[in-house]
Amino acid sequence: MDRASATVTIARLNLRGARDDVARARTPLLAALDRAPWPDPGPDTLLFVRHLRLRGSATDIARRAADLVRELTPRAEDGWSRAADQADAVRFRSRADMSACLLADLLDGRAADRWFWARRAELFERPVPDAIVRILEEAPFELPELLDAGSARARPLAAIELLPRLMARLDAPATERLLGALRAATGWSLRFAAPEATAMAPAPGLPTALLATATRQAHALRLAPAAPAARLVAVLLAWRHVPAHLGTPDADVLLTRLTHLVTQDGARSAPQQPMPIARDATVPAPADTPSPHPAPLPTAAPVEARTTGAHPGRTTTTSDASREPASDAPAAECAAAALHSPRAAAPEDGFVTSCGGLLFLLNVLALTPVQSLLGDRNLPGCGWRWLARLAATLGLEPDPPLAAFLATEAALASPDALAVLPPLAEEARLEAFAAARYGADLWRADAFRLPARIVATPSHVDAHFRLADARLDLRRAGLDLNPGWLPWLGRVVTFHFNDGPRALPSPMGKPEDFTMGRDHSPALSPAGPPDTGPAAPAAAKKPGERP
């Protein structure tokens, strides 16, 4: 269970006064700062405060520090703006946004001059390719979102220059280091086939969206045919469109063909304007161009650093602006307080559904015996199609917002197409397995009709539920545990149970639509045979899971 509240890190704390007074004040001051009512800068937002100078008791300093930060929050400058250099407070809308700005400043040669990057000073002494890799490998699961945040979705002006310049600076060793970080994080082999093997392999058609996206990337990035970064771009395209395919034996052929397609040679040989056809259809591969296997379309748009007062290993900055102290107790300088609000939904962020528990079925699909029953891993959005079919076997029909989301992720033309998806090859065995494992009392549609807010990025899916809707039977069966990284989905999936108003809006529509699934009765159904799949402990942190 988690609660959405702002947290804080102090980059540097200077205590001034007599030695004995400072020694006595340090511990209670750190404790008071940790308990202070820091303001919430907003969902996913990071706020950097340059400098605070305060006097008083530990409690007074902590309270006044929180009050001053609260005053600065609405006046904080966007870190991408020139005004941020002179501002007392700077904000970024997410960790990916912050990292993209740091990369842009690094490429522009001005990162060392910006006060809020002072904590990253060791990067500026390194060769640029090495510094780029160190930034990108800090959060490999957020790499697709980071590159989105640095391009058209977040910064239209930066899109023209940032990505081509970034990729141009990645030499072969830097690219291989990044690919190694992705291999370690995702479990994908991310190998590339030899050219002769690619030439001999069959060349199926390309889904329209994948071909169009690869062609746009090639024209935008202007990569030379032998550019090492082309391999990274190919991996990101496959991740976005065909994550399940990356776990198949012929993924090396797909990546090699995509690598060619995103270079200038590939751009010249690929069609400039693919014919608009059904979203999950394919177009013939160009006769003189190697082409990858069928792949799904891009998934949802709009990953995050967490901080806790005086705790190590969290995001911080430095500063030199000042505020006048007010009393005669030992003085404390709180330099570079970096506030961050963990992901919690805002009205404009994500969508609300009455069937959020449908995503619990991802834990069923992740079981090893179930994965052995699933095929068609080269189909567009196959993981989401599996999810839709499993829900259909329960009679669990998604409401319109969730149906629209599932259809987009499954690369279907409309939500209506969910109802006519063909049955899975082993659907009868899958249904029997789930019914036996979870029991008739739990394996029913009503158990999964829980309201939630779904927030999706290119790398993460976060489902926010009300704390009152947590169910012991679902928890004991392992259905509402965090799935974490799902390679066949290409996402890190996390379930949050929040008791704050930002987690879910006030119930809309008929009250009964939002009151299902509140049975906290200890009379539970059996969870099924213990050896039918892996069981993760409730407290275990999955790869890529946000702190």
Side-chain angles (χ1 to χ4, degrees):
M1 308 292 178
D2 65 279
R3 289 171 171 80
S5 60
T7 49
V8 65
T9 283
I10 308 296
R12 186 176 68 250
L13 178 64
N14 294 333
L15 297 179
R16 295 178 180 175
R19 184 183 298 272
D20 291 345
D21 291 341
V22 167
R24 285 193 301 269
R26 180 176 179 82
T27 299
L29 177 58
L30 292 178
L33 289 170
D34 213 12
R35 296 191 304 267
W38 300 102
D40 183 354
D44 285 345
T45 300
L46 289 95
L47 177 71
F48 289 74
V49 175
R50 193 168 192 173
H51 204 129
L52 300 175
R53 286 197 181 109
L54 302 162
R55 288 183 183 272
S57 66
T59 302
D60 290 341
I61 288 174
R63 176 182 53 78
R64 294 190 61 242
D67 289 343
L68 288 173
V69 172
R70 187 173 292 105
E71 293 176 13
L72 287 170
T73 298
R75 304 200 303 269
E77 294 286 350
D78 187 340
W80 289 78
S81 70
R82 293 287 183 178
D85 295 343
Q86 306 302 322
D88 287 338
V90 168
R91 58 178 167 77
F92 294 99
R93 63 188 191 180
S94 67
R95 172 174 173 159
D97 189 42
M98 177 191 69
S99 298
C101 183
L102 175 56
L103 287 167
D105 289 343
L106 185 68
L107 292 171
D108 287 337
R110 67 189 189 112
D113 300 327
R114 311 196 81 185
W115 62 265
F116 41 90
W117 300 141
R119 289 274 293 185
R120 311 304 303 271
E122 59 91 15
L123 289 173
F124 312 144
E125 305 298 323
R126 298 179 177 275
V128 172
D130 182 51
I132 291 173
V133 171
R134 284 180 173 268
I135 295 169
L136 295 179
E137 67 185 359
E138 289 174 353
F141 285 108
E142 294 185 352
L143 192 55
E145 182 180 2
L146 187 152
L147 295 181
D148 268 4
S151 60
R153 183 174 64 85
R155 311 289 171 179
L157 297 179
I160 302 171
E161 299 180 356
L162 178 58
L163 289 182
R165 292 166 57 206
L166 181 71
M167 295 301 174
R169 299 303 296 269
L170 288 178
D171 54 21
T175 300
E176 187 53 39
R177 275 182 55 194
L178 270 180
L179 291 175
L182 289 175
R183 291 183 187 107
T186 64
W188 291 326
S189 64
L190 301 183
R191 305 298 178 189
F192 293 77
E196 56 271 18
T198 305
M200 295 177 62
L206 288 171
T208 306
L210 177 58
L211 176 61
T213 304
T215 304
R216 287 196 302 271
Q217 290 278 26
H219 286 289
L221 298 177
R222 302 183 297 277
L223 293 173
R231 289 190 167 196
L232 177 61
V233 176
V235 168
L236 293 176
L237 279 173
W239 183 347
R240 189 74 176 270
H241 292 257
V242 282
H245 197 163
L246 288 174
T248 64
D250 59 348
D252 57 345
V253 175
L254 166 69
L255 290 176
T256 300
R257 288 177 172 153
L258 280 176
T259 300
H260 171 79
L261 195 59
V262 299
T263 63
Q264 291 183 19
D265 280 356
R268 283 192 290 268
S269 57
Q272 295 297 308
Q273 294 182 329
M275 183 184 302
I277 54 179
R279 296 186 58 189
D280 58 348
T282 61
V283 296
D288 58 347
T289 305
S291 61
H293 294 286
L297 304 176
T299 54
V303 94
E304 135 173 19
R306 312 256 179 175
T307 57
T308 304
H311 288 189
R314 307 273 176 110
T315 308
T316 55
T317 73
T318 58
S319 73
D320 59 5
S322 65
R323 298 266 176 183
E324 287 301 319
S327 80
D328 296 329
E333 288 188 7
C334 301
L339 276 172
H340 178 68
S341 171
R343 174 170 287 284
E348 71 279 7
D349 194 6
F351 64 93
V352 175
T353 172
S354 61
C355 300
L358 185 148
L359 294 185
F360 293 162
L361 299 180
L362 290 170
N363 276 319
V364 181
L365 294 172
L367 294 171
T368 301
V370 173
Q371 281 291 301
S372 68
L373 299 176
L374 299 170
D376 296 329
R377 294 175 186 268
N378 296 343
L379 284 178
C382 63
W384 299 102
R385 296 178 184 222
W386 299 339
L387 180 63
R389 284 305 309 165
L390 182 58
T393 67
L394 269 175
L396 181 58
E397 183 178 354
D399 61 2
L402 184 57
F405 171 74
L406 292 174
T408 299
E409 299 298 329
L412 299 174
S414 73
D416 294 339
L418 291 170
V420 294
L421 282 174
L424 303 175
E426 300 286 351
E427 191 167 291
R429 291 179 61 191
L430 172 58
E431 185 177 6
F433 170 87
R437 178 178 175 87
Y438 299 107
D441 290 340
L442 186 57
W443 192 246
R444 54 187 175 82
D446 285 354
F448 300 92
R449 291 197 179 102
L450 303 179
R453 184 187 290 277
I454 312 299
V455 181
T457 75
S459 54
H460 287 68
V461 174
D462 292 89
H464 297 264
F465 300 88
R466 287 195 295 253
L467 188 60
D469 287 332
R471 291 180 44 152
L472 291 178
D473 50 357
L474 292 172
R475 172 56 54 90
R476 288 186 60 181
L479 286 166
D480 69 350
L481 299 180
N482 287 333
W485 168 245
L486 299 175
W488 40 270
L489 204 66
R491 303 288 184 88
V492 177
V493 181
T494 308
F495 301 140
H496 309 264
F497 289 84
N498 312 112
D499 58 3
R502 295 167 58 214
L504 205 64
S506 299
M508 298 177 296
K510 296 182 293 183
E512 57 268 25
D513 292 340
F514 285 85
T515 56
M516 296 178 180
R518 296 193 180 190
D519 180 10
H520 300 285
S521 168
L524 304 176
S525 305
D531 58 348
T532 52
K541 185 175 182 298
K542 302 291 185 66
E545 186 178 327
R546 301 181 194 270

